[in-house]
Amino acid sequence: MWMSESVKYLTKTKTGALIVFKKAMSSMAYSEVGTDIGAKVSTELILTIFHPNTPLHDGAMVIEGSKILAAGVLLPLTEDPKLSWKYGTRHRAALGMSEVSDAACLVVSEETGNISLTSSGNIN
């Protein structure tokens, strides 16, 4: 429920977002770089974190199960030289994360409102 409501609002308002879905038991040191949240996932919390011009809105949010582990997380960027110029930093970070971990990432473009998903080094 929170996912569809949150993503629907983010796309409608063209609010950029990057959400990492960490698999249980996988190691991911990147979430230690951001701000620890440790809260139950909710639409209101997601929209608050990605609200423009707030301290955490530019980084990634890391979710594991029903908890937001961290926000404002810096992710590794892909180094794929063949990636189209149309992809910005959020997309490059989502792709980079999916190249170095088993996490899946959801990106909402702030330019178009389009949604992209990354996993295993692929972007759709």
Side-chain angles (χ1 to χ4, degrees), residues 7 24 33 44 49 65 73 75 84 95 100 103 115 117-118 122 124:
V7 173
V33 177
E44 295 80 10
I49 288 171
V73 176
L75 301 179
S84 171
L95 194 55
V100 300
I115 302 166
L117 296 172
T118 65
N122 296 304
N124 298 304

Side-chain angles (χ1 to χ4, degrees), residues 14-15 21 30 36 59 62 72 89 97 108 117-118 122:
K14 294 185 180 177
T15 301
F21 297 96
Y30 298 102
D36 183 38
V62 178
T89 305
M97 190 67 208
V108 177
L117 296 172
T118 65
N122 296 304

Side-chain angles (χ1 to χ4, degrees), residues 4-84:
S4 61
E5 287 179 20
S6 302
V7 173
K8 187 185 300 183
Y9 182 84
L10 293 168
T11 59
K12 182 175 132 184
T13 60
K14 294 185 180 177
T15 301
L18 173 51
I19 301 173
V20 177
F21 297 96
K22 181 180 182 250
K23 296 194 178 177
M25 306 301 283
S26 71
S27 65
M28 195 171 99
Y30 298 102
S31 62
E32 296 169 8
V33 177
T35 300
D36 183 38
I37 302 293
K40 184 178 177 189
V41 178
S42 71
T43 299
E44 295 80 10
L45 187 51
I46 290 172
L47 297 181
T48 299
I49 288 171
F50 288 117
H51 186 77
N53 303 316
T54 58
L56 301 177
H57 89 279
D58 270 337
M61 173 188 299
V62 178
I63 294 176
E64 181 179 26
S66 63
K67 289 232 179 244
I68 298 174
L69 300 180
V73 176
L74 301 176
L75 301 179
L77 300 179
T78 184
E79 295 183 19
D80 183 353
K82 295 179 243 158
L83 186 63
S84 171

